[in-house]
Amino acid sequence: MINQPSGELYIVATPIGNLDDITHRALNTLKSVDFIAAEDTRHSARLLQHFNITTAMIAYHEHSDTKRLQKICQLLTSGKSVALISDAGTPLISDPGFQLVKTVREQGINVVPIPGVCAMVAALSVAGLPSDRFVFEGFMPAKKNARCQYLQALSHEERTIIFYESSHRILASVSDMRDILGDTRRAVIARELTKTFETVLEGDLQTLVDKLTADSNQQRGEFVVMVSGYKKADEFSSITEPVSHMMTTLLEELPIKKASAMCAKLTGLNKRDLYQWALAQKDS
Ligand code: SAM
């Protein structure tokens, strides 16, 4: 029996709105493969039609069972080439494909990236937030309690944090971010990137909640929300120059606990914040 060489699996990025963002390589790949595995074949039919691509499609989505996965593996081992696409952007990034790529790689079959658009990269590239180190969190939990716990766990993350969000939850999510990460934390909301109503809003979380509330159009479409990382200094933003002077004077006469309590009484500031500030001064 002659061993047939395996086909290759191509992971092809497609536009997130503006069809001009498709790459030449993506088009050539989609035209030349034997099959296109698509998250939603009806949705992708429109893309393929636009570019006069007639390659046969098969469905591969989040709920595809192992039979479907095996079918794609069989196609590949029998020498057929397959391109995986999602509804928009890069497959596997908050989109189906991980299990397929893992399985295919385990079988020693080549997986080839055909890079292109990804909403979070496009958003980060225009946000003006630190981009040297960042974390991508995808979609947060849909339910408020779970979402708040999730945000709590991220509250001391020092890197820029990137989320995906839908129109149903954008206001609730940004409001929870404000409540948990603090109203002064800076953030950027990138909406409808590459589309007609592309908007990039920036400001502290309170300002962003106000902007979303004031104009319901700002709650429509698709969103990438980027929040600047936690800065140690944020913790003590209430300790202004006069307060630190008062604390320093009190600390010359009193132990930390008493000095913090007295300063809290005089300024109305939080006793615990003042205590933590005093401890941090001792350590520094
Ligand atoms: N795989 C895609 C990628 O590479 O970005 C992401 C797919 S995920 C199911 C869809 C989410 O991506 C949307 O809910 C939104 O958060 C974000 N997104 C997709 N297109 C976008 C756009 N044009 N503008 C802003 N965010 C977008």
Side-chain angles (χ1 to χ4, degrees), residues 191 212 215-221 223:
R191 178 174 82 99
L212 291 175
D215 178 3
S216 61
N217 282 328
Q218 293 300 332
Q219 298 174 38
R220 292 174 188 227
F223 302 85

Side-chain angles (χ1 to χ4, degrees), residues 241-253 259 263 277 281:
E241 182 56 41
V243 177
S244 81
H245 181 72
M246 185 187 291
M247 272 298 281
T248 313
T249 312
L250 289 168
L251 283 166
E252 283 168 9
E253 305 294 331
C263 188
W277 179 86
Q281 304 313 298

Side-chain angles (χ1 to χ4, degrees), residues 75-131:
L75 286 171
L76 291 163
T77 46
S78 69
K80 303 284 186 210
S81 52
V82 178
L84 176 71
I85 58 174
S86 61
D87 286 354
T90 302
L92 279 85
I93 307 300
S94 290
D95 264 340
F98 159 65
Q99 208 54 51
L100 178 65
V101 170
K102 181 172 180 279
T103 310
V104 167
R105 287 185 64 82
E106 278 166 4
Q107 297 192 7
I109 298 167
N110 207 20
V111 184
V112 184
I114 308 292
V117 185
C118 176
M120 65 130 171
V121 175
L124 185 63
S125 73
V126 296
L129 292 176
S131 53

Side-chain angles (χ1 to χ4, degrees), residues 182-251:
D183 48 6
T184 57
R185 185 84 77 100
R186 290 202 72 72
V188 177
I189 302 177
R191 178 174 82 99
E192 293 288 272
L193 291 175
T194 79
K195 302 187 210 177
T196 313
F197 296 107
E198 179 179 277
T199 320
V200 179
L201 296 179
E202 63 174 293
D204 58 42
L205 285 167
Q206 181 60 58
T207 306
L208 290 174
V209 170
D210 293 342
K211 284 183 179 171
L212 291 175
T213 312
D215 178 3
S216 61
N217 282 328
Q218 293 300 332
Q219 298 174 38
R220 292 174 188 227
E222 300 190 279
F223 302 85
V224 182
V225 182
M226 294 154 287
V227 185
S228 62
Y230 170 82
K231 289 184 195 69
K232 264 218 150 111
D234 290 353
E235 213 174 347
F236 303 125
S237 58
S238 60
I239 319 286
T240 55
E241 182 56 41
V243 177
S244 81
H245 181 72
M246 185 187 291
M247 272 298 281
T248 313
T249 312
L250 289 168
L251 283 166

Side-chain angles (χ1 to χ4, degrees), residues 148-164:
C148 288
Q149 275 177 19
Y150 191 87
L151 283 167
Q152 196 68 54
L154 280 171
S155 60
H156 284 71
E157 172 56 63
E158 292 179 12
R159 295 166 288 184
T160 298
I161 316 166
I162 307 177
F163 302 97
Y164 279 168

